[in-house]
Amino acid sequence: MNYTFSDKMEALQPSAIREILKATADPKIISFAAGNPAPEAFPCEAIEKITAEILTKNPIGALQYSISEGYPPLRDALRELCRTRYGVIGENDDLIIVSGAQQGIDLVCKCLCNEGDTIIVEAPSFVGALNTMRSYNANLVGVEMDDDGINIEKLEEALKTSPNVKLMYLIPNFQNPSGITMSYEKRKAVYELAKQYGVIILEDNPYGDLRFRGETIPSIKTLDTDGLVVYCGSFSKVLSPGLRVGYLVADKGLMGKIVVAKQCTDVHTTILSQMICERFLAEYDFEEHVQGLRDIYRKKCALMISEIDQNFSPNVAHTDPDGGLFLWCTLPEGSDMPGFCKRAVEHGVAMVPGNAFTAKASDPTFSFRMNFSTPTDEKIVEGCRILGQLTKEMF
Amino acid sequence: MNYTFSDKMEALQPSAIREILKATADPKIISFAAGNPAPEAFPCEAIEKITAEILTKNPIGALQYSISEGYPPLRDALRELCRTRYGVIGENDDLIIVSGAQQGIDLVCKCLCNEGDTIIVEAPSFVGALNTMRSYNANLVGVEMDDDGINIEKLEEALKTSPNVKLMYLIPNFQNPSGITMSYEKRKAVYELAKQYGVIILEDNPYGDLRFRGETIPSIKTLDTDGLVVYCGSFSKVLSPGLRVGYLVADKGLMGKIVVAKQCTDVHTTILSQMICERFLAEYDFEEHVQGLRDIYRKKCALMISEIDQNFSPNVAHTDPDGGLFLWCTLPEGSDMPGFCKRAVEHGVAMVPGNAFTAKASDPTFSFRMNFSTPTDEKIVEGCRILGQLTKEMF
């Protein structure tokens, strides 16, 4: 049978990264293509102990239906964390649990965007978010980034000239894929533009706790006096992505609708996962835990940069992130970037070609994303040497 | 700030049931309004043991990112179950894991329906599904049911006269909310109509294993030679709803798109939940387990029916389900059903008013849904006596 799909889904293709990851299931391939936490970043024993406790003390609570807004003790704990640690929850805000930040992005797009409405994104931006936006037939407009975040002049231009702008999607800390962090000045400027043009900001902050250098910069949400910012947090990079637990903070007037959308999507997030996150926050020292993660990623990032600097052609540029999981390499303008990525796989190393992250697949890019959290140190060294040789041959 | 929501979400209200459940959090209220498995239906010790094993033997596997299609060993186990136990997977079909059947419904609607397209549903039907369809701005057309399932003449009439029919949503076994089971003859007739009109059937079967009387009737999917039926199964009623694990079986040509939609929604279903389901199927006797559930619900249903027959006004009709969790009571035509439900709550008993389950809230109904799986036997007796007194006063 020939199926007729909805207009919004008709053209949508699987995430390029997830397809690359399937191709790199071959253990001989060194993959810099993933975005997984390092295996040593999981507090396995703690989770084992917590989970046993939950299933001994309150098995029915963990296995029965629950409410769409989320497990109340976890919501309370996160409200507290959002108040004291992140400063991202105000008097008029509410917080709900979502099935990973991906679902948070999905629900916000669904609630705010009609087909054809514009969503402004950083160029490049997170492919998972872009695909969700495409699945609502949104018009994606990418705005170039400088070293300190989105270009404000070009952002204003996009706000002025794009039809029905409903949302700006931003990852201010150690952005995926670029590794760039938005300066405080730019955060303020972005917020002022949102206010001026009446556009909601979706601030995605999965990596915020993974700052391994420099001072924390307050989130855009800390500036939000007008209910314009939806803040999205996640346990995926600081505890476990497999548990699928994230959260949204937004003005109550917006959150009411988001909860209805959540109800229609999966009723509620896995309750055992929520209980594990709650107990982890209650029984363990979260700050000490994330300090440990920062140590892991600081070393891995430094190793990858050092190997790039020693081995790559000097004509290949790279970002120098203050945190997160990724860095972004750029070949000389006019280079055959897809051809380079293809040759790299043939030589046993996979990265993600930059066009996976552009608002339109045809937008020109000479960059590719390198992940330093998943590969072992040995693989980082070996993979960078292979890539270095290739860059010297080609550029 | 006054938020402008998308057209599809603008008018959508929270599920009436979930709002009633919040109102009935008062432990003094006897609630026949829920749809939760009985507390004694959970194999708590087994899940505790399985989970400990998983987190000891393969913690990283349980906590790391996984693939959107689902945990491969669970998909294999379910393919086998769908082949041997349910007969619902053919050569051209594939199976994916979803975050509860609710997400299955969501993904199918998203992939197939543009705003304004028609979805035909049974009248009454599952409110969670109706709200998901509303969240895509579908045109819902309810078709009356007879004692043996949807009225075929009226179904054909709806297929002929409704604009852009893309989907028929059917719950053939112990339907929620009516408790009605569709006869095999009607399943065949429905399939023939789907073929004739080129419309996809979404067959939702969350209660199929909970048949406590009579012979199993083959699913509509067993008749599917043309790739027209998407079959939706779930662990929610046979293992645990809190784990949020369901599955879809559909033709590969359709499934490819559903997987893309899944990726955009929550990346993948909680992997620990999937591993628990897989181990339960591998290490325990599933048939023996569901036999135990059937015994629980057979007794509870019989008790509720006996109490209704002894206590209710003879002018109140009720269905006599062969399985599942619900029965459906109907007041004399012209009765003030919402007024009756309101008085019942004032007297300490909650049910779900029938208009929660109609395609349009204004569709007339004199019925209400009674759940027998969640309340204790004592509450069933006490609640039915209170309702009985009221029905005798009012009808």
Side-chain angles (χ1 to χ4, degrees):
Chain A
M1 161 131 187
N2 284 321
Y3 299 101
T4 308
F5 297 111
S6 61
D7 297 340
K8 52 190 174 294
M9 290 300 297
E10 180 63 41
L12 194 65
Q13 296 302 315
S15 152
I17 297 185
R18 299 192 75 82
E19 297 308 302
I20 290 170
L21 291 181
K22 279 186 207 166
T24 61
D26 179 352
K28 278 179 291 187
I29 298 273
I30 296 173
S31 176
F32 299 148
N36 293 4
E40 60 269 35
F42 293 95
C44 296
E45 275 179 43
I47 291 178
E48 195 187 327
K49 185 167 160 287
I50 286 170
T51 308
E53 274 169 21
I54 293 166
L55 289 175
T56 312
K57 287 187 189 159
N58 187 11
I60 304 291
L63 300 173
Q64 189 56 281
Y65 276 116
S66 187
I67 57 174
S68 301
E69 291 85 348
Y71 178 56
L74 178 61
R75 292 176 74 201
D76 289 344
L78 285 173
R79 278 195 196 96
E80 187 58 21
L81 215 59
C82 284
R83 198 165 2 246
T84 57
R85 183 180 178 89
Y86 307 122
V88 293
I89 191 163
E91 278 300 305
N92 294 320
D93 287 326
D94 204 355
L95 180 149
I96 67 159
I97 309 299
V98 290
S99 304
Q102 184 75 40
Q103 188 183 64
I105 299 165
D106 184 47
L107 298 177
V108 172
C109 291
K110 184 167 183 177
C111 286
L112 294 177
C113 299
N114 289 319
E115 297 189 34
D117 284 350
T118 296
I119 302 177
I120 293 178
V121 298
E122 292 155 317
S125 187
F126 168 46
V127 58
L130 300 179
N131 274 347
T132 297
M133 294 162 189
R134 290 176 183 127
S135 82
Y136 292 104
N137 233 347
N139 172 42
L140 299 188
V141 173
V143 174
E144 206 174 293
M145 297 174 83
D146 307 316
D147 290 348
D148 61 346
I150 198 161
N151 182 293
I152 298 294
E153 290 69 39
K154 290 185 176 158
L155 174 59
E156 180 150 26
E157 188 63 26
L159 284 163
K160 268 187 194 154
T161 58
S162 309
N164 300 315
V165 183
K166 295 293 171 67
L167 203 57
M168 289 188 241
Y169 172 74
L170 303 167
I171 310 170
N173 292 317
F174 336 121
Q175 200 243 15
N176 177 1
S178 70
I180 289 172
T181 294
M182 195 187 296
S183 67
Y184 192 49
E185 289 61 42
K186 285 206 166 172
R187 295 179 195 215
K188 287 187 282 192
V190 163
Y191 183 74
E192 287 308 314
L193 286 176
K195 203 152 81 174
Q196 191 180 331
Y197 289 88
V199 170
I200 303 291
I201 294 172
L202 175 53
E203 180 177 30
D204 193 6
N205 192 24
Y207 316 109
D209 278 306
L210 302 182
R211 174 179 280 280
F212 44 68
R213 186 174 64 191
E215 291 293 311
T216 299
I217 301 174
S219 290
I220 305 173
K221 181 68 182 161
T222 64
L223 307 165
D224 186 22
T225 50
D226 301 80
L228 287 171
V229 184
V230 181
Y231 177 89
C232 187
S234 175
F235 284 93
S236 289
K237 305 304 186 290
V238 292
L239 191 63
S240 152
L243 292 178
R244 311 302 307 130
V245 183
Y247 54 99
L248 289 177
V249 180
D251 186 278
K252 285 170 189 159
L254 193 47
M255 196 60 104
K257 195 59 82 178
I258 294 173
V259 171
V260 177
K262 164 82 178 156
Q263 230 172 53
C264 296
T265 301
D266 65 357
V267 189
H268 63 75
T269 294
T270 303
I271 184 76
L272 178 59
S273 293
Q274 295 188 61
M275 291 170 108
I276 292 170
C277 293
E278 191 275 331
R279 283 291 89 198
F280 187 80
L281 292 178
E283 296 182 17
Y284 293 82
D285 185 333
F286 186 64
E287 179 55 27
E288 187 183 301
H289 170 69
V290 297
Q291 287 286 3
L293 301 183
R294 287 176 201 142
D295 292 343
I296 294 170
Y297 297 130
R298 182 186 300 110
K299 281 181 202 154
K300 283 191 171 287
C301 181
L303 176 65
M304 184 173 268
I305 286 180
S306 142
E307 289 299 318
I308 288 174
D309 288 343
Q310 283 174 57
N311 293 283
F312 279 31
S313 154
N315 299 321
V316 181
H318 64 81
T319 55
D320 188 11
D322 292 332
L325 309 178
F326 305 107
L327 53 86
W328 187 240
C329 294
T330 302
L331 303 176
E333 186 137 347
S335 300
D336 176 16
M337 180 276 296
F340 171 68
C341 291
K342 193 156 171 282
R343 273 197 69 188
V345 172
E346 287 160 10
H347 284 74
V349 186
M351 310 88 74
V352 184
N355 51 312
F357 306 99
T358 53
K360 290 170 181 73
S362 57
D363 289 350
T365 174
F366 308 105
S367 304
F368 55 92
R369 190 186 77 175
M370 298 270 281
N371 164 264
F372 50 80
S373 64
T374 316
T376 62
D377 291 355
E378 292 68 32
K379 297 285 181 191
I380 289 175
V381 171
E382 193 187 339
C384 285
R385 292 192 181 166
I386 293 169
L387 291 181
Q389 190 58 42
L390 270 182
T391 60
K392 283 178 185 158
E393 285 169 24
M394 291 175 75
F395 313 108
Chain B
M1 161 133 189
N2 284 321
Y3 299 100
T4 307
F5 296 110
S6 61
D7 298 339
K8 53 191 172 294
M9 290 300 297
E10 180 62 41
L12 194 65
Q13 296 302 314
S15 152
I17 297 184
R18 299 191 75 83
E19 296 308 301
I20 290 170
L21 292 181
K22 279 187 206 165
T24 61
D26 178 353
K28 276 179 293 187
I29 299 272
I30 296 173
S31 177
F32 299 148
N36 293 4
E40 61 268 34
F42 293 95
C44 296
E45 275 179 45
I47 291 178
E48 196 189 326
K49 185 168 160 287
I50 285 169
T51 309
E53 274 169 21
I54 292 167
L55 289 174
T56 313
K57 287 187 191 160
N58 187 11
I60 305 292
L63 300 172
Q64 188 58 281
Y65 277 117
S66 187
I67 56 173
S68 300
E69 289 85 347
Y71 177 57
L74 178 61
R75 291 176 76 203
D76 288 344
L78 285 173
R79 279 195 196 96
E80 186 58 21
L81 217 58
C82 284
R83 199 165 0 245
T84 56
R85 185 180 177 90
Y86 308 123
V88 293
I89 192 163
E91 277 300 307
N92 294 319
D93 287 325
D94 203 354
L95 181 149
I96 68 159
I97 308 299
V98 290
S99 303
Q102 184 76 40
Q103 187 182 65
I105 299 165
D106 184 48
L107 299 177
V108 171
C109 291
K110 185 167 183 176
C111 287
L112 295 178
C113 298
N114 288 320
E115 297 191 33
D117 284 350
T118 296
I119 302 177
I120 293 178
V121 298
E122 292 155 318
S125 187
F126 169 46
V127 59
L130 299 179
N131 274 347
T132 297
M133 293 163 191
R134 289 176 184 126
S135 81
Y136 291 104
N137 233 346
N139 172 43
L140 299 188
V141 173
V143 174
E144 204 175 293
M145 297 174 83
D146 306 318
D147 290 349
D148 60 347
I150 198 162
N151 183 293
I152 298 295
E153 289 69 39
K154 289 185 176 156
L155 173 58
E156 179 149 27
E157 188 62 25
L159 284 163
K160 269 187 193 153
T161 58
S162 309
N164 300 316
V165 183
K166 293 293 171 66
L167 203 59
M168 288 189 243
Y169 172 73
L170 303 168
I171 311 171
N173 292 316
F174 336 121
Q175 199 243 15
N176 177 1
S178 69
I180 290 172
T181 294
M182 194 189 295
S183 66
Y184 192 47
E185 287 62 40
K186 285 205 166 171
R187 295 180 195 213
K188 287 188 281 191
V190 163
Y191 183 73
E192 287 307 314
L193 286 175
K195 201 151 81 172
Q196 189 179 332
Y197 289 89
V199 171
I200 303 290
I201 294 172
L202 175 52
E203 179 176 31
D204 193 7
N205 192 24
Y207 315 110
D209 277 307
L210 302 182
R211 174 179 280 279
F212 45 68
R213 187 175 63 193
E215 291 294 312
T216 300
I217 301 173
S219 290
I220 305 172
K221 182 68 180 160
T222 63
L223 307 165
D224 186 20
T225 48
D226 301 80
L228 287 170
V229 184
V230 181
Y231 177 90
C232 186
S234 175
F235 283 94
S236 289
K237 305 303 187 290
V238 292
L239 191 64
S240 152
L243 292 178
R244 311 303 306 130
V245 183
Y247 54 97
L248 289 177
V249 180
D251 186 277
K252 285 169 188 161
L254 193 47
M255 196 60 103
K257 195 59 83 177
I258 294 173
V259 171
V260 178
K262 163 82 179 157
Q263 230 172 52
C264 295
T265 300
D266 65 356
V267 188
H268 63 76
T269 295
T270 303
I271 183 77
L272 179 58
S273 293
Q274 295 188 62
M275 291 171 106
I276 292 171
C277 292
E278 191 275 331
R279 283 291 89 197
F280 188 80
L281 292 178
E283 297 183 16
Y284 292 83
D285 185 333
F286 187 64
E287 178 55 28
E288 187 182 302
H289 170 69
V290 296
Q291 286 287 2
L293 302 182
R294 287 177 201 142
D295 291 343
I296 295 170
Y297 296 131
R298 181 185 300 111
K299 282 180 200 153
K300 283 191 171 288
C301 181
L303 176 66
M304 183 173 268
I305 286 180
S306 141
E307 289 300 317
I308 288 174
D309 288 343
Q310 282 175 54
N311 293 283
F312 279 31
S313 154
N315 299 320
V316 181
H318 64 81
T319 54
D320 189 10
D322 292 331
L325 309 177
F326 305 108
L327 53 87
W328 186 241
C329 294
T330 302
L331 303 175
E333 186 138 345
S335 300
D336 176 16
M337 180 276 296
F340 172 69
C341 291
K342 193 157 171 282
R343 274 197 69 188
V345 171
E346 286 161 10
H347 285 74
V349 186
M351 309 89 73
V352 184
N355 51 310
F357 306 100
T358 53
K360 290 171 180 74
S362 57
D363 289 349
T365 173
F366 307 107
S367 303
F368 55 91
R369 189 187 76 174
M370 299 270 280
N371 164 263
F372 51 79
S373 64
T374 317
T376 61
D377 291 356
E378 293 67 32
K379 297 286 184 191
I380 289 175
V381 171
E382 194 187 336
C384 285
R385 289 190 184 166
I386 293 169
L387 291 181
Q389 189 60 40
L390 271 181
T391 59
K392 283 177 184 160
E393 285 169 24
M394 291 175 74
F395 313 108

